[in-house]
Amino acid sequence: MSLVLDREPTRTIPAPLIAVEDLSVTYSGRHGVVPAVARVSLALAPGQSLGVVGESGCGKSTLALAIMAYLAENAEITSGRVRFKGSDMASMSPEELRQVRGGGMAMVFQEPGAALNPSMRIVDQLVEAAVYHREIDEGTARREAGEMLRDVGLPDVERILGSYPHQLSGGQQQRAVIAMALLGHPSLLLLDEPTTNLDVTVEASVVELIGHLRRRHGTGLIYISHNLGLIAQVCDRVAVMYAGEIVEEGPIDAVFAAPKHPYTAGLLRCIPQPHTDKTERKLRPIRGQVDQLLTRLPGCGFAARCDHAVAGRCDQGELPLVDVDAGARHLSRCIRWMEIADATETPDDQADAGGVRDEVLLTVRDLDKFYPVEESGLASLFGGRPRRVVKANQRLSFRVRRGQTLAIVGESGCGKSTFAKVLMGLEQATAGSIELAGLDLATLAVDKRDSVLLRSLQIVFQNPDETLNPCYSIGTQIGRVIRKFGIARARGQVQQEIKRLLALTRLPATLAARRPHQLSGGQKQRVAIARAFAGRPSTVVADEPVSSLDVSVRAAIIELLVDLQTSEGTTLLMISHDLGLVRYMADRVVVMYLGQIMESGTTAEVFAPPYHPYTEALLSAVPVADPALRRRRIVLEGEIPSAMAPPSGCPFHTRCHRKLGAACETQKPPEQRMADGSHRITCHIPAAELAQMGDIFGKPGGRRDDT
């Protein structure tokens, strides 16, 4: 077990490591010149960390690329400059820039596959970076490459060094990219959404690594993310960008506790908080979306979406950043900041309690799903060894009540999506049953299901681009479902139902004539939801429905699903690794690890002690957008074992921070019912000892991350 350390306090030094001075950047395209960054100024001292947040299209990544002097050919710096250790980046020669990039500063991109050469082994790429930027010999570079991979928490270093990128998982690739960036011993590290596609546990270990290396080497950090919880955990200061401008900047504690710009407050209202759920506090998405304008309008760029904008004041002239707290250097680009009450909660935020019926709709009993592994070579010809299988699901048993939201959570590879495929008829179970409305679906393939069953069970996938046909309009695709399931037949009735569904998902009726490529990511996901609800299903499976969306769009989709479930009486099965989302939306939770259920119960039971040790680690890794909240931090070490050769005994014992000993390694753990009977934990640790666990989330105050 390893623990995340606290942030260091902000330090002020005469000469900043990086200084951005009144920087403006534009992009030229076929539609004209688009202003991407406008009048941005910021400074970063050695060892300091700055978070840059905002929705997609706000200019965050362009700012990072401008700092690296790595802008695209159609980009132009129209004003201002970037100084690195006092030197103007624009005046550097190509050779000087090559030395600075990687040696003086380095960048870690969101997609590690784009930064790694697929035709080179990891060791060759790491050695090349160290030799080029530090002029050391290859033997020293190779030794340091191995040490750096150990520092980033990668097991089996020799295997990793000898591997090609495609032979590594996403988390392993991202850690290798971070190691490559750090081998140049940069003074400044820029990270552009480095953990977006990672499991929450891998994300926690990467964040821990970044904080540790920052303290060890005095590296300055600029961390770009739409995840405000991560920024609260990692950074000293935060800069909030909107439409290319910094609209608020200041110390993490001050900005998160008392935002002084309506956009910052709006972002914070989009995030579920610990100890709150859909019955206690509604998320309030920011209305509208970021507009990419060819000409920058006078006044506040956020005015069109702001509930506090006043005509004649907020739309006049160029608004400056005003210091709202000279002692802490807390800046806001809002002329009404003193007039606007600092209220992230309003009476409208209070949610309706809703209710769950007692009727059991779905029953899963002892479900197994095994995949046979095809042998190769002589073993396949002569049958030299028993046929191996991947045990994706093992002995799954749970029930779902009508109108309830059940969340299935766990890391990638734990079997969540496999269960969804079996439920939807895309795969057939090896053993066990899934009963829905008197039918056993476990071995009933999708092409054997009648229209009534198909209508009653629908799914919303993570990526709508993979499920929407690019050749047909939105109205045509929704209308096809309406006709197929007999909701309406006549042209006029179908059109009315399409309009109703678009209105239900808060989309304008004009979108019915558009094709998918003409919609934003959030709009496409709403269309996917509208299509799933078009047949008026009794059950909808939502497989990571908001994982790749901006914070405001996420909030809108989450509230849409909650409202649809309430109004339509739909049962929702949600598959997710985002425990903050699960805490907010779910009525019951099933925690899976390596194809098996580790814990199940109501959301209140699962999110409060006693915990299964795996659940405890998952909860401790959840980023929380509240710097004052105390919590215990547990970062899991090692990788998930192979489902083809799972550990004996408890499947979690190889990574468990509460392992008892030989019993965990050799004996299957028992399922223990906690005091109320509905909360079940599969673990060797006695129930009485589990009951002594402390809460992961404590009260505000004291250290942010307790050991």
Side-chain angles (χ1 to χ4, degrees):
M1 176 178 70
S2 42
L3 301 161
V4 175
L5 306 176
D6 289 329
R7 299 189 306 264
E8 292 181 349
T10 302
R11 298 196 303 269
T12 302
I13 63 171
L17 175 65
I18 192 79
V20 180
E21 303 168 359
D22 198 36
L23 183 71
S24 296
V25 180
T26 62
Y27 286 101
S28 299
R30 59 181 178 177
H31 298 298
V33 177
V34 177
V37 171
R39 302 172 294 150
V40 168
S41 296
L42 55 86
L44 189 75
Q48 191 180 48
S49 58
L50 172 72
V52 183
V53 303
E55 297 166 282
S56 296
C58 285
K60 306 185 301 295
S61 295
T62 296
L63 174 61
L65 292 171
I67 290 173
M68 291 285 293
Y70 206 60
L71 289 166
E73 290 184 359
N74 67 330
E76 180 185 0
I77 295 178
T78 57
S79 69
R81 68 188 67 194
V82 177
R83 295 184 183 274
F84 178 65
K85 295 183 178 179
S87 299
D88 186 353
M89 297 280 289
S91 65
M92 293 183 182
S93 67
E95 179 58 31
E96 288 173 325
L97 283 175
R98 280 193 292 269
Q99 291 296 332
V100 167
R101 297 191 198 114
M105 63 174 72
M107 188 165 180
V108 178
F109 295 92
Q110 176 176 349
E111 177 50 59
L116 294 171
N117 188 326
S119 65
M120 292 176 63
R121 295 181 305 160
I122 297 299
V123 63
D124 298 325
Q125 300 187 56
L126 295 179
V127 168
E128 181 181 64
V131 169
Y132 181 83
H133 292 294
R134 292 171 48 212
E135 298 182 353
I136 59 178
D137 63 84
E138 291 192 6
T140 302
R142 195 199 184 288
R143 185 179 66 254
E144 291 191 8
E147 292 172 355
M148 188 62 74
L149 288 182
R150 292 185 185 91
D151 284 345
V152 300
L154 281 171
D156 196 2
V157 167
E158 291 304 317
R159 182 186 67 82
I160 298 291
L161 285 171
S163 299
Y164 289 90
H166 74 274
Q167 296 174 306
L168 305 182
S169 68
Q172 290 172 331
Q173 287 182 4
Q174 191 63 284
R175 295 187 199 199
V177 169
I178 293 172
M180 185 162 59
L182 293 170
L183 275 171
H185 291 183
S187 304
L188 174 67
L189 185 62
L190 294 96
L191 302 110
D192 189 359
E193 301 280 11
T195 62
T196 296
N197 297 317
L198 303 182
D199 281 319
V200 64
T201 50
V202 178
E203 179 181 75
S205 63
V206 169
V207 168
E208 177 196 24
L209 164 71
I210 291 167
H212 168 69
L213 294 171
R214 171 193 161 205
R215 283 178 288 273
R216 180 178 175 183
H217 300 293
T219 307
L221 295 180
I222 296 180
Y223 201 117
I224 297 171
S225 181
H226 65 261
N227 189 329
L228 276 71
L230 276 181
I231 295 298
Q233 180 180 323
V234 173
C235 299
D236 304 313
R237 293 179 64 85
V238 60
V240 183
M241 290 190 70
Y242 186 81
E245 297 180 316
I246 292 179
V247 297
E248 185 163 4
E249 183 191 348
I252 284 287
D253 294 347
V255 172
F256 278 64
K260 301 303 182 187
H261 194 282
Y263 181 57
T264 309
L267 291 176
L268 291 170
R269 283 196 296 266
C270 292
I271 304 171
Q273 296 295 329
H275 305 303
T276 62
D277 59 31
K278 61 188 178 185
T279 67
E280 299 170 306
R281 174 185 179 269
K282 291 188 69 174
L283 304 183
R284 296 182 61 202
I286 303 170
R287 57 185 172 86
Q289 61 186 28
V290 180
D291 291 325
Q292 291 291 345
L293 302 176
L294 296 180
T295 56
R296 188 168 291 279
L297 300 176
C300 177
F302 184 61
R305 303 173 69 191
C306 182
D307 296 330
H308 304 284
V310 175
R313 293 186 62 191
C314 299
D315 55 0
Q316 301 296 311
E318 188 175 293
L319 303 184
L321 274 170
V322 178
D323 197 340
V324 301
D325 185 352
R329 189 169 165 73
H330 185 176
L331 311 174
S332 173
R333 200 182 296 274
C334 179
I335 61 173
R336 298 196 63 214
W337 71 269
M338 294 185 68
E339 306 166 35
I340 299 171
D342 177 28
T344 56
E345 299 288 342
T346 71
D348 292 338
D349 289 330
Q350 302 305 311
D352 296 327
V356 177
R357 304 174 194 175
D358 289 333
E359 177 189 356
V360 175
L361 179 70
L362 184 72
T363 301
V364 180
R365 290 194 181 95
D366 296 329
L367 186 77
D368 289 342
K369 175 57 184 176
F370 299 165
Y371 292 97
V373 178
E374 295 296 332
E375 298 288 359
S376 59
L378 293 177
S380 64
L381 296 175
F382 301 107
R385 58 188 177 191
R387 197 176 191 190
R388 296 183 297 168
V389 296
V390 173
K391 297 180 179 180
N393 290 160
Q394 297 183 65
R395 310 288 290 180
L396 303 187
S397 296
F398 55 85
R399 298 188 301 175
V400 187
R401 299 185 183 279
R402 186 177 296 276
Q404 185 179 67
T405 298
L406 174 79
I408 303 176
V409 304
E411 297 168 283
S412 297
C414 74
K416 308 185 300 292
S417 294
T418 297
F419 168 74
K421 290 176 182 178
V422 174
L423 175 63
M424 300 303 298
L426 303 176
E427 299 280 359
Q428 293 181 303
T430 305
S433 64
I434 304 176
E435 295 179 9
L436 175 68
L439 293 173
D440 186 357
L441 309 183
T443 56
L444 189 60
V446 65
D447 57 353
K448 303 297 183 184
R449 301 183 180 189
D450 60 27
S451 60
V452 175
L453 181 55
L454 292 173
R455 170 184 167 181
S456 67
L457 190 58
Q458 291 290 303
I459 187 167
V460 179
F461 291 98
Q462 178 176 352
N463 187 355
D465 285 319
E466 296 179 356
T467 59
L468 296 176
N469 191 321
C471 300
Y472 293 99
S473 69
I474 299 305
T476 299
Q477 298 188 59
I478 296 176
R480 180 176 181 273
V481 178
I482 294 169
R483 293 188 186 91
K484 180 179 178 63
F485 294 134
I487 304 301
R489 298 289 187 187
R491 181 181 177 84
Q493 292 176 329
V494 171
Q495 293 301 318
Q496 284 300 116
E497 184 65 10
I498 291 171
K499 290 180 180 179
R500 185 188 76 84
L501 287 164
L502 291 176
L504 200 63
T505 51
R506 303 186 187 99
L507 290 171
T510 54
L511 258 62
R514 298 185 187 179
R515 287 181 169 81
H517 75 273
Q518 297 173 298
L519 276 59
S520 69
Q523 289 173 328
K524 284 186 280 193
Q525 191 63 292
R526 289 172 187 246
V527 169
I529 292 170
R531 190 174 62 176
F533 279 84
R536 300 178 187 173
S538 62
T539 305
V540 170
V541 179
D543 190 354
E544 302 281 10
V546 297
S547 63
S548 58
L549 301 178
D550 275 327
V551 60
S552 183
V553 180
R554 280 169 56 91
I557 298 298
I558 291 167
E559 286 305 312
L560 169 62
L561 286 170
V562 171
D563 291 346
L564 283 174
Q565 183 183 29
T566 302
S567 62
E568 304 294 309
T570 309
T571 302
L572 190 65
L573 270 69
M574 184 171 64
I575 295 170
S576 181
H577 65 261
D578 183 343
L579 272 77
L581 170 62
V582 168
R583 175 67 179 89
Y584 180 77
M585 285 192 66
D587 301 300
R588 292 187 66 84
V589 179
V590 169
V591 182
M592 289 182 63
Y593 183 79
L594 213 59
Q596 302 180 45
I597 294 177
M598 298 288 99
E599 183 168 2
S600 64
T602 67
T603 304
E605 291 167 345
V606 172
F607 278 71
Y611 310 111
H612 187 282
Y614 180 55
T615 309
E616 183 184 28
L618 289 177
L619 289 174
S620 75
V622 176
V624 179
D626 183 355
L629 186 71
R630 294 180 58 191
R631 65 168 168 185
R632 289 187 292 115
R633 293 301 311 276
I634 304 158
V635 177
L636 291 181
E637 297 178 345
E639 301 291 324
I640 299 177
S642 169
M644 194 160 55
S648 58
C650 174
F652 185 58
H653 83 259
T654 59
R655 302 169 73 200
C656 184
H657 55 285
R658 294 183 180 273
K659 179 180 171 183
L660 295 179
C664 297
E665 298 176 1
T666 59
Q667 301 173 24
K668 291 288 184 184
E671 181 184 79
Q672 304 183 72
R673 292 175 180 261
M674 298 299 106
D676 59 8
S678 67
H679 185 195
R680 304 181 182 189
I681 295 177
T682 303
C683 186
H684 284 293
I685 301 174
E689 186 175 336
L690 290 172
Q692 301 303 312
M693 285 184 175
D695 198 342
I696 284 290
F697 297 107
K699 297 179 179 179
R703 287 166 54 97
R704 293 182 181 86
D705 295 310
D706 294 340
T707 63

